[in-house]
Structures are given as structure tokens and as C-alpha cells.
DNA sequence: GTTATAGTGTTCGAAATCCAACATTGGTTT
DNA sequence: AAACCAATGTTGGATTTCGAACACTATAAC
């Protein structure tokens, strides 16, 4: 069941090289040969693991999307409840390992593989469900509020992955203020 | 002639893992299994490349000693001539790739493998040859002067490999002053 | 239009690596 | 002393990777 370490190593090497190249040039400009050369892997081995460079991108985007999906519920509850300190600390910890890759992949926008869009879609669904569960007094457009909440969370995520853990002070206050403003028109009857 | 990339990769992986472990604990405490685990390599493969961990250490020390040997003549001439700026810049460039490994290996002192001692021995021989070629007026103990020159150079090297390139300003003046003092008693007739 | 050129994707025998076993050594515990 | 454990070094068959072809496509160059 557990696979051969050689497979783990080659996939790791190919993915690391791929991210390195993506940090230097656009996805379209990168060739399979580039990836193999940078990772000291033969092309025949590349094709034993992936259909093509699109498949490699797909799998990586799917991988990080899945990791994010596992955390979305927790993070969402935190921002609703106002645990901004915990939220920022948790996000930072989650991203610690994957920071570099996620940051680079956020710059890639292919029709069938867009990590940033995936994150945004997941958050938007959460907001829509959350609002649908409330019993509202307001006549404000709820889709607008959902979009606003999503944007705030995405901006926070992008901030965290592109800034050092040391420079996160002061973030909490800003986020909390905006969070309250977003939730302001969601007064419930209950 | 050119060897299979797989060999290059495994030796690189084993050596990187070895340096990582050496940065954490002593050479004696490190087992072959440790190195293999850290590098995702099987033990049988380790033994296909090295006789044992001592052999691995020997080969690495020999490797960096050889690199250093190729540069000793140039660096020696520079310090005699007083090209301290070029010397520091050149040393820094030489070490750029190997800084981490050399720095860690400088802390390992095994009877048959001691990189720091190798560097020192090479420099000392250079000084002794240099002094022997001079026609001296002085009655100062020349071996002492050779040892002093060697120590100054070793200290400079250790400074360069353990400090960032950005923090090298101010080094030149200090080294040049001491260099003149060391050479002071080597007045020649010619 | 044809001629290069660069990238894609495939194939197959050779080479390297893996894995799981094994015997052996040296030190510790009981 | 005996039993144990951790590490060493070795072996052989299974698996993976490599390297060097090959055919194919698309695009640019002449």
C-alpha cells in the first residue's frame, strides 16, 4: 500500500522544480524538459507520473485545495466569532510548510486550475450558507455581504502567506474592525 | 564517463542529510540509518556509495580540501600583495555555494578527517615556502611568522564563512593592518 | 513549399535503487 | 553468564528510473 520512496522523491523533486520555475516565468513558458532538467529527472519518468504539465499543475492545485478545504470550517467559525488572533496564528501555522508553493500558485490562473479561485469559491459558499441559516431583519443584499466577507478573508490569507510571521502585529485590529462592519447588516431576529 | 544522474542525486541527498545532522549532533552520535532516513535513501544504497560514515566524512573533507587547494595559491598571493578587498570578495564568492557545508565541517575533528586542520596545513606550507624563498636580513624566528600568517588567514576564512556578505565592511582595514605587522620582520636584502 | 527547430509523448533495454531479509558485532540489562 | 538491543554490513529479487532512441506536431525561417 505505502508506495516506494523513489516515487515520493521524484514527485517531490518535480513539484519543487516546478514551483521554482513558476517563480521565474509563466506557466505557459515552462516546458516539461525544463522541469526535468531542473529536478534531475528524466522525461520518461515525468510521464510515468503525470500526463503533462497541466496534469502536474492540476494535481498540485487539487492538493492544496484539499488541505484548505480541511481547514475552511474552522477558519470560518473563527472569523465569525471574532477570534482574529487565533485565526491569524492558525493560518500562519497552516501555511508555514506550504507558504512558498501556495504563494507561487496564487499567481497561476489557468482555466482548469486556479488555486486562488478555488479558495475564494470555498469561502463564498461558506458565507452564503451561513447567511441562509440566519433569520434576517435587514433588507441589505445578502450576496453582497457574502462577497464582502469572502474578499476580506482572501485578503487576509494573501497577507499572511506573503508576509513573515514576525510582521503580523497590527493585523488583528484592522481585520476585526472590517469584520464587524461586514456583519453589521446581518442583524437577526433571534 | 559522465555518471548516471541517479548517482549524483543520491550522493547529493546523502551529503545534504549528513550536513544537516552534523549541524544538530556530533559525528559519533550519527548513525548510517539516521543519514538514510533523513535523505529517503535505503541503507543498501548508502553502502553502494560509501564504505561507512567515516568514508562519507573522508570524501567530503577531501572534496572541500581539493576545492580549497585550487584556490590557495591565488589567495596567498593576494594577502601578500595586500589585495585585501579582492581577497575578501573572492573568498566570499568561493564559499557562497559551500558555506553551509564548510562551516559545519569546520566543527568536526576526527583523526583522519579534519577540514579545518587541512586548510591550516596548506596555508602553513605556503607560508614556509614563501619565507624560504626570501633572502632575509632578520633574525626573527621564521616559523613563528609563518604560524602567525596562517592564523590570520584562518581567522579571516572563518569570519567570512560565518558572516553574511553584507557584514564584510570594515574587515579589510583590520586584516591589512595585521598583515603588515606580520610581514614587518621579513625585510629582504633584495 | 520545404526546411529547420523545438517541444511533445512513447518505447525498451540497461542501470540504479529499494526492500526485506540475514548474520555479526558491541554494549546494556537482568 | 545469558538475554537483549541497536547498529553494522551484506545479499538477492522486485521495482523504479534512466538514457537514448523514435514518431509526431506546430511554428518559424528561408
Amino acid at each position: 500500500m505505502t508506495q516506494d520512496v523513489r516515487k515520493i522523491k521524484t514527485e517531490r523533486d518535480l513539484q519543487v522544480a516546478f514551483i521554482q520555475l513558476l517563480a521565474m516565468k509563466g506557466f505557459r513558458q515552462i516546458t516539461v524538459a525544463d522541469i526535468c532538467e531542473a529536478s534531475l529527472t528524466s522525461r520518461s519518468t515525468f510521464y510515468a507520473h503525470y500526463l503533462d504539465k497541466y496534469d502536474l499543475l492540476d494535481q498540485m492545485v487539487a492538493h492544496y485545495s484539499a488541505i484548505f478545504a480541511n481547514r475552511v470550517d474552522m477558519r470560518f467559525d473563527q472569523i465569525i466569532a471574532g477570534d482574529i488572533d487565533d485565526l491569524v496564528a492558525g493560518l500562519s501555522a497552516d501555511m508555514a510548510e506550504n507558504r512558498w508553493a501556495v504563494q507561487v500558485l496564487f499567481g497561476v490562473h489557468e482555466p482548469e486550475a486556479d488555486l486562488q479561485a478555488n479558495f475564494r469559491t470555498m469561502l463564498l459558499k461558506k458565507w452564503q450558507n451561513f447567511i441562509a441559516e440566519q433569520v434576517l431583519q435587514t433588507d441589505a443584499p445578502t450576496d453582497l455581504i457574502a462577497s464582502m466577507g469572502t474578499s476580506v478573508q482572501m485578503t487576509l490569507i494573501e497577507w499572511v502567506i506573503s508576509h513573515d510571521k514576525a510582521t503580523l502585529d497590527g493585523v488583528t485590529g484592522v481585520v476585526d474592525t472590517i469584520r464587524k462592519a461586514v456583519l453589521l447588516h446581518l442583524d437577526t431576529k433571534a
Side-chain angles (χ1 to χ4, degrees), chain A residues 54-114:
Chain A
Y54 297 91
D55 185 37
L56 171 56
L57 179 64
D58 288 350
Q59 290 198 28
M60 292 194 71
V61 168
H63 174 72
Y64 291 111
S65 294
I67 290 178
F68 186 68
N70 283 333
R71 300 288 176 154
V72 164
D73 289 349
M74 184 191 310
R75 301 290 169 240
F76 188 83
D77 292 345
Q78 281 177 328
I79 204 167
I80 296 298
D83 300 337
I84 311 300
D85 270 330
D86 288 349
L87 171 63
V88 172
L91 265 179
S92 179
D94 285 354
M95 294 297 169
E97 270 187 42
N98 311 320
R99 241 169 65 108
W100 179 235
V102 172
Q103 194 178 348
V104 170
L105 287 176
F106 262 33
V108 180
H109 306 286
E110 291 295 316
E112 301 295 317
D114 190 324

Side-chain angles (χ1 to χ4, degrees), chain A residues 68-80 118-134 142-143 145-147 149-150 153 183 186:
Chain A
F68 186 68
N70 283 333
R71 300 288 176 154
V72 164
D73 289 349
M74 184 191 310
R75 301 290 169 240
F76 188 83
D77 292 345
Q78 281 177 328
I79 204 167
I80 296 298
N118 287 2
F119 277 31
R120 180 172 285 274
T121 301
M122 287 189 239
L123 291 173
L124 185 60
K125 285 218 180 86
K126 273 301 270 183
W127 275 98
Q128 288 168 337
N129 287 340
F130 169 72
I131 294 173
E133 288 167 359
Q134 310 300 105
T142 55
D143 272 355
I145 297 178
S147 293
T150 300
Q153 281 180 305
L183 293 173
L186 283 184

Side-chain angles (χ1 to χ4, degrees), chain A residues 23-42:
Chain A
M24 299 190 302
K25 47 183 172 178
F27 173 72
R28 301 283 172 77
Q29 330 305 331
I30 296 173
T31 71
V32 173
D34 288 340
I35 302 170
C36 292
E37 186 183 17
S39 62
L40 296 182
T41 309
S42 75

Side-chain angles (χ1 to χ4, degrees), chain A residues 5 160 171:
Chain A
V5 281
V160 169
V171 172

